[in-house]
Amino acid sequence: MSLDLKGKGINTRVTHAGENPDNVYGSVGVPIYQTSTFKFRDADHGARCFSGEEQGYLYTRIGNPTTNTFEAAVAHLEHGYGGIATSSGMAAVSSIYMTYLGAGVHMVGTDAVYGSSRMVIETDFSRFGVEYSFVDTANLDEVRKAMRPNTKLLYIETPANPTIKLTDIAACAEIAHEHGALLVVDNTFMSPVLQNPLELGADVVLHSITKYINGHTDVVGGVIVTRTEAEFDRIKSVINGIGGTMDPHQSWLVLRGMRTLSLRVERGEQNAQKLAEYLESHPKIEWVRYPGLVSHPQHDLATRQMKGYGSMISFEVKGGVENGKTVLNNVKIPQLAVSLGGYESLIQHPASMTHANIPVDEREAAGITDGLVRYAVGTEDSADLLADLDQALAKI
Ligand code: LCS
């Protein structure tokens, strides 16, 4: 018997969502169905499974019990119809583009999205005649102005990587729907614990589960959750064909990591708030961007649409790139690496790393300046993180 999670708190839901009792041996842990294919009882059974007349697993690119358990868990946490796990976050992003875009179809996107989410449109999808406008979606007038009669997709990332600018999800859902377009939200920075875009009117939500959902810096993966069955069927059919599926072992690892999601998110946020306040009061810091600071220009929107402020901070050290490098080279606890959302703190320089594939003028127009440092705050002790940053800043 599965537990009824209706009305339960987020910690209970993260712990038990998608629980899949093993009816054969009664294992509490989810088994790994490490198989590429499934056998049929007889020819008619195979035909019925393929026609959809009977439910059954056919082939792991199309469905696998371990992966389905993970998909059901995330769909539950995002309050959606169904989940589709993918081999990477970019497989999720590209499959959504593949589903909704085509020759002569236009999309509007957040200008400061993760570098590759923008790069694949500008250099690859454009080759197939896709039209696009990347604008500052924090400014709703810019979003409205960018919409065209052939706009089918409004694609936003909030908070955006790495500017930590926010976009109003409910307002964008209204704008998209008025124009007959769909709203897709990359919810990677918040995880399903801190923000649920489908509840705010979005049609599709996606995550790079490489980040918070897995949380242990040992798996690359993605997941898509749709609000309706119709959108689920459209995207699922593209992924089945294109083949960006998550494999069963990957799904098992991610489920294992996900069970501590709410604990990690809570701890990371407590640490981030303290670090952001410390940075804000430090004389060598030019500016700090963190949604939990009252000085964040969209602090009110953060409080309205998010259930917490997350653990991503961006800041600029006075004196520009050279002084920023001194901090990157002298911190001892955060490792100098791209990615985020793991249990450990990481620090990086977007202009030369995660966003280096965006042309300089576009990158700067999107607010990703040369001096911006991104700090992904982990679950260490805040006193240790503060002392470490303090000694690094003292080296300037
Ligand atoms: N969406 C967001 C918001 C991301 O931050 C990333 C990766 C992706 C999608 C793509 O996911 P992946 O295919 O890597 O699982 N962001 C990275 C970052 O900021 N540093 O390294 C990767």
Side-chain angles (χ1 to χ4, degrees):
M1 269 276 285
S2 305
L3 174 68
D4 180 7
L5 292 174
K6 209 154 168 253
K8 298 282 191 293
I10 188 66
N11 295 291
T12 308
R13 292 170 58 232
V14 165
T15 308
H16 294 286
E19 217 163 37
N20 184 19
D22 163 16
N23 292 325
V24 181
Y25 298 112
S27 72
V28 172
V30 175
I32 313 175
Y33 289 89
Q34 194 71 43
T35 180
S36 57
T37 195
F38 298 83
K39 69 180 170 195
F40 305 112
R41 288 191 299 276
D42 54 36
D44 286 342
H45 174 227
R48 283 198 305 278
C49 286
F50 265 90
S51 71
E53 228 176 288
E54 192 173 326
Q55 288 273 307
Y57 289 102
L58 317 172
Y59 184 61
T60 281
R61 172 159 47 75
I62 295 165
N64 175 284
T66 313
T67 302
N68 281 10
T69 305
F70 169 62
E71 292 170 332
V74 183
H76 168 79
L77 295 177
E78 282 289 16
H79 306 279
Y81 167 79
I84 306 167
T86 55
S87 56
S88 68
M90 281 315 301
V93 174
S94 306
S95 301
I96 286 170
Y97 290 161
M98 194 87 74
T99 305
Y100 296 115
L101 303 176
V105 175
H106 177 249
M107 76 166 272
V108 175
T110 302
D111 54 1
V113 278
Y114 170 58
S116 294
S117 303
R118 180 166 173 164
M119 185 272 290
V120 287
I121 291 290
E122 293 183 333
T123 63
D124 297 310
F125 281 84
S126 61
R127 291 187 286 113
F128 304 109
V130 167
E131 298 169 20
Y132 57 87
S133 311
F134 286 101
V135 301
D136 177 7
T137 53
N139 180 344
L140 295 172
D141 287 336
E142 279 209 31
V143 178
R144 281 189 204 95
K145 263 196 280 171
M147 299 298 283
R148 301 180 191 162
N150 59 340
T151 307
K152 295 274 183 266
L153 180 65
L154 175 54
Y155 180 94
I156 62 174
E157 194 179 290
T158 179
N161 182 358
T163 55
I164 322 291
K165 260 196 190 181
L166 310 184
T167 295
D168 187 328
I169 297 172
C172 279
E174 234 172 78
I175 297 171
H177 297 156
E178 269 167 22
H179 288 81
L182 294 181
L183 175 67
V184 174
V185 180
D186 183 335
N187 199 24
T188 299
F189 269 37
M190 287 283 95
S191 92
V193 170
L194 295 185
Q195 183 167 268
N196 296 123
L198 301 182
E199 292 209 309
L200 298 169
D203 301 284
V204 178
V205 58
L206 76 101
H207 294 269
S208 162
I209 60 90
T210 316
K211 320 300 179 202
Y212 293 97
I213 293 182
N214 179 59
H216 289 72
T217 323
D218 50 11
V219 173
V220 169
V223 70
I224 298 165
V225 179
T226 67
R227 191 154 48 80
T228 64
E229 182 176 2
E231 300 315 326
F232 177 88
D233 289 346
R234 283 180 77 180
I235 299 171
K236 179 76 178 146
S237 148
V238 168
I239 288 180
N240 285 354
I242 297 289
T245 318
M246 183 176 278
D247 109 312
H249 190 257
Q250 194 183 1
S251 306
W252 178 81
L253 276 169
V254 172
L255 262 169
R256 188 178 192 272
M258 199 194 75
R259 295 306 179 195
T260 55
L261 174 64
S262 51
L263 293 171
R264 289 184 279 102
V265 163
E266 190 181 322
R267 175 54 167 267
E269 183 179 347
Q270 286 164 1
N271 285 348
Q273 182 74 35
K274 287 183 187 149
L275 279 187
E277 285 169 9
Y278 162 84
L279 285 166
E280 189 162 50
S281 66
H282 199 288
K284 289 181 185 166
I285 297 297
E286 188 73 46
W287 55 261
V288 190
R289 195 56 56 78
Y290 177 67
L293 292 176
V294 179
S295 62
H296 189 292
Q298 297 160 294
H299 180 66
D300 290 347
L301 174 61
T303 306
R304 199 165 70 239
Q305 86 178 1
M306 291 148 51
K307 295 169 184 153
Y309 302 115
S311 48
M312 295 300 294
I313 301 176
S314 63
F315 62 93
E316 188 158 332
V317 184
K318 280 186 186 155
V321 185
E322 282 314 308
N323 286 346
K325 277 189 186 163
T326 303
V327 173
L328 290 172
N329 290 335
N330 282 287
V331 282
K332 303 269 188 306
I333 297 179
Q335 296 169 76
L336 181 57
V338 299
S339 203
L340 58 119
Y343 57 86
E344 75 289 76
S345 293
L346 298 177
I347 200 162
Q348 68 113 0
H349 179 234
S352 66
M353 297 177 185
T354 44
H355 293 71
N357 58 9
I358 302 179
V360 180
D361 52 334
E362 291 179 13
R363 178 166 57 67
E364 283 181 351
I368 309 166
T369 52
D370 279 342
L372 188 153
V373 172
R374 191 187 77 180
Y375 194 143
V377 184
T379 57
E380 299 91 344
D381 285 297
S382 59
D384 293 334
L385 294 176
L386 286 170
D388 182 46
L389 202 48
D390 202 54
Q391 65 77 28
L393 283 163
K395 296 269 170 26
I396 293 170

